[in-house]
């Protein structure tokens, strides 16, 4: 498939729209690639179009997920896989940072409590 | 039972039986009529019965030069439509498959594009014929219910067939159902209305050709 | 409320993290064809939900559906759903038997009255008062009527439960019917397939846990997210169909090239299911990918729709005897008509001859008379 694939052009248009919305503070957006007609070649073409950025995150939760920045800052390529290595979700997320990455306050508070308990234990020793 | 099951089951069964029964009925009814002995003497230009019959089958299928200017459109439309139908019926892969699974006979199919083109031509000509029959004052006077029904019953299978082949507008299953049902409606009507020219057209020409040929009349 | 009561806490106890849950929610949103933006909401409501009670009854079935749903060996992320479900009664899977099992059922139905989900695989025989399939001395009809009454919704799992399936195939000796023929008052979702795709059950459960209701259904009661398109529309062999490239037998060049299986009886064009996109065995393959046409198993009465190997455009072939009979009848009518025409022609001829006789014959006679003497 060449650069003029109208489907991919439309998809890139949507990415652009989501990014400008994000900058206008319309919040993050996602595109579900699994529910789109994406034969492997087209998926590859899309990946080539988006390019690669500097950040790549591996997420290890009930299987390994790949979160990779594209050449366009704020546009992320996400592949969720289950423990069997099968892809269960494939998304483009337009956000400063994909929502799944940063820990929540609740989690950090739990960590703080755990660290605190550890200190107490050390101090008591 | 869904409508599709009905179309492919009892409807197909009965429409086939009705068509076969009707055609045999019509043919036998004519063929078993007493032949009026032709006592006329052979004329000086006589070509004999057989040559007359064969000649007329051909000559009546060709346009008359005298009337060509006036009938040109009709002739072209008629030929386009009938050739189109022939291409669809004999060249369309699903139709060949139908025959092959019923009888074991099979032949290579035409490319889908060719059949699609033929279908489009057929559809356009049928619509043209129908519209003309409705609008032309003389034709309208001459037409009866049979004429309109025969055209419509030919048109609908072509239209649904095109949609089916392109798989647009409606779901495949719906289109398949209506395509089959419309063909069955046509099959039921075929022996009884003007569509019976399928079997009578050449026989009719042959009979009058034989008569005229013997007398040596120019046809 | 005990601290472990909500799923978020319970999952944490099991070592299932928020991210794993988010991931599952993203997969569920994809699978349910929901916008990906709702994934966090799904995760949120799942982690806040109480364990959903599920009562599963097996009627006139072969247990293949249950096999399909429990036997996927890759610990797929879908399996997470079983952490949100309390399977309170399932004869094949539960350890209890006999009176103890019956007791479990009664207790589960009572404790969760009006709230439990009722899942059923297998059709319900109705002939002779339903005696053809009984559990613990009670007919399936009886159990269904009683347990459906207290259910929040009913899941008809597999083609037999959904539409009667194989037990209902002609001549249907037990007068088997699907669940929807008997249960009228409750929301029912059909998850047909012989067997059904496990991910579809997961999706329906997620939908119920998240939104508190069944997903949108098509006219045959199936979730649109999975049964919205035909196999044919998602089939990777579709380009060959469009180009008219067909395999003519299972061992010809076309079959080796992976061409379309339409001529070999593929029912993909009239079958709605998600096999072509979700696939089977953890996304490994599906029938057409393995070289066999679709049987149409998620459609009502698929067993009675002729051979699996007759193409959709072909029939079983004409009934030659009946066609011969019809021709004979036609010959009879036509012959009779011709005979009648001959008779009336002959009558007319006779009449004409008589008249001629009268007009001309009479004068001739008088002439002779005149000439006579
Ligand atoms: S193999 Fe079946 S589903 Fe696939 S394109 Fe051919 S007919 Fe359609």
């Amino acid at each position: 498939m060449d650069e003029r694939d109208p489907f991919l052009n439309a998809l890139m248009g949507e990415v652009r729209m989501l990014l400008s919305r994000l900058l206008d503070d319309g919040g993050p957006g996602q595109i579900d690639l699994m529910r789109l007609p994406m034969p492997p070649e087209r998926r590859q073409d899309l990946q080539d179009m988006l390019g690669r950025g500097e950040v790549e995150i591996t997420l290890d939760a009930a299987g390994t997920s790949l979160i990779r920045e594209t050449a366009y800052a704020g546009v992320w390529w996400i592949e969720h896989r289950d423990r069997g290595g099968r892809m269960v979700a494939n998304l483009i997320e337009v956000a400063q940072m994909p929502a799944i990455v940063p820990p929540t306050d609740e989690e950090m508070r739990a960590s703080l409590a755990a660290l605190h308990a550890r200190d107490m234990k050390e101090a008591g020793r | 039972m869904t409508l599709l099951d009905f179309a492919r089951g009892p409807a197909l069964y009965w429409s086939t039986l009705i068509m076969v029964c009707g055609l045999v009925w019509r043919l036998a009814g004519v063929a078993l009529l007493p032949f009026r002995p032709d006592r006329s003497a052979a004329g000086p230009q006589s070509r004999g019965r057989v040559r007359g019959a064969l000649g007329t089958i051909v000559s009546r299928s060709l346009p008359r030069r005298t009337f060509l200017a006036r009938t040109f459109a009709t002739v072209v439309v008629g030929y386009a439509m009938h050739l189109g139908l022939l291409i669809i019926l004999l060249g369309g892969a699903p139709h060949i498959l139908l025959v092959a699974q019923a009888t074991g006979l099979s032949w290579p199919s035409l490319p889908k594009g060719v059949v699609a083109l033929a279908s489009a031509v057929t559809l356009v000509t049928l619509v043209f014929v129908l519209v003309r029959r409705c609008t032309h004052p003389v034709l309208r006077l001459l037409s009866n219910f049979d004429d309109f029904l025969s055209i419509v019953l030919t048109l609908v299978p072509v239209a649904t067939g095109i949609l089916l082949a392109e798989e647009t507008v409606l779901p495949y299953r719906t289109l398949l159902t209506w395509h089959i049902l419309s063909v069955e409606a046509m099959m039921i009507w075929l022996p009884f209305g003007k569509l019976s020219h399928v079997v009578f057209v050449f026989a009719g020409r042959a009979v009058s050709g034989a008569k005229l040929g013997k007398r040596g009349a120019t046809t | 409320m005990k601290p472990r009561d909500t799923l978020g806490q319970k999952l944490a106890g099991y070592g299932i993290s928020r991210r794993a849950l988010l991931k599952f929610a993203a997969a569920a949103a994809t699978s349910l064809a929901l916008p990906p933006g709702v994934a966090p909401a799904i995760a949120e409501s799942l982690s806040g939900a109480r364990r959903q009670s599920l009562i599963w009854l097996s009627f006139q079935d072969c247990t293949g559906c249950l096999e399909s749903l429990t036997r996927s060996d890759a610990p797929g992320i879908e399996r997470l759903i079983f952490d949100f479900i309390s399977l309170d009664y399932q004869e094949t899977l539960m350890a209890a038997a006999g009176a103890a099992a019956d007791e479990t059922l009664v207790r589960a139905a009572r404790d969760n009255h009006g709230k439990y989900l009722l899942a059923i695989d297998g059709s319900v025989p109705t002939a002779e008062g339903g005696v053809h399939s009984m559990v613990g001395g009670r007919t399936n009809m009886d159990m269904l009527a009683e347990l459906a009454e207290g259910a929040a919704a009913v899941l008809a799992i597999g083609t037999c439960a959904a539409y009667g399936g194989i037990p209902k195939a002609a001549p249907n000796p037990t007068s088997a019917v699907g669940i929807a023929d008997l249960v009228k008052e409750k929301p029912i979702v059909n998850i047909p397939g012989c067997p059904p795709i496990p991910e579809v059950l997961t999706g329906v459960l997620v939908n119920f846990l998240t939104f508190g209701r069944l997903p949108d259904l098509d006219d045959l009661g199936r979730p649109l997210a999975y049964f919205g398109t035909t196999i044919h529309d998602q089939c990777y062999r579709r380009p060959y169909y469009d180009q008219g490239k067909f395999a003519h037998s299972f061992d010809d060049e076309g079959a080796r090239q992976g061409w379309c299986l339409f001529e070999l009886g593929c029912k993909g064009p009239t079958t709605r299911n998600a096999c072509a996109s979700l696939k089977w065995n953890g996304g490994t393959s599906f029938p057409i990918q393995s070289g066999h046409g679709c049987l149409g198993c998620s459609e009502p009465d698929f067993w009675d729709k002729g051979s699996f190997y007759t193409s959709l455009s072909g029939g079983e072939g004409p009934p030659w005897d009946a066609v011969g009979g019809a021709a004979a009848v036609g010959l009879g009518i036509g012959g009779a008509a011709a005979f009648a025409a001959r008779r009336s022609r002959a009558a007319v001829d006779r009449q004409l001859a008589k008249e001629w006789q009268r007009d001309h014959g009479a004068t001739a006679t008088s002439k002779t008379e005149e000439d006579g003497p």
Side-chain angles (χ1 to χ4, degrees), chain A residues 2 12 43-44 49 69 71 77 82 106 108 121:
Chain A
D2 60 341
M12 292 300 279
R43 204 166 150 270
Q44 189 55 52
M49 265 183 206
E69 190 188 35
W77 179 272
D82 66 11
E106 197 183 324
M108 290 188 291
K121 215 154 103 196

Side-chain angles (χ1 to χ4, degrees), chain A residues 30-32 34-35 59-65 79-84 86 88-91 99-104 107, chain C residues 17-20 22-23 26-27 29-34 36-37 40 74-78 80 199 225-226 278-279 282-283:
Chain A
Q30 286 111 337
I31 301 173
D32 182 348
M34 291 245 285
R35 275 282 166 170
L59 174 70
D60 213 348
T64 308
S65 300
E79 288 172 18
H80 288 311
R81 292 178 190 276
D82 66 11
R83 288 197 186 88
R86 176 182 162 215
V88 292
N90 184 192
L91 308 162
I100 201 168
V101 176
T104 61
E107 284 167 324
Chain C
S17 66
R18 176 189 60 92
R19 293 196 182 99
L22 263 177
K23 220 169 120 168
T30 289
S31 145
L32 278 162
L34 296 169
I77 200 156
E78 292 81 19
L80 271 183
E199 284 86 343
Y226 303 99
L278 291 177
K279 304 199 178 172

Side-chain angles (χ1 to χ4, degrees), chain C residues 231-232 235 237-238 241 259-262 266-269 288:
Chain C
I231 301 289
H232 187 58
C235 180
R237 298 197 187 204
R238 180 59 184 270
Y241 173 91
W259 289 354
C260 171
L261 300 167
F262 184 85
C266 181
K267 305 290 183 285
I288 292 169

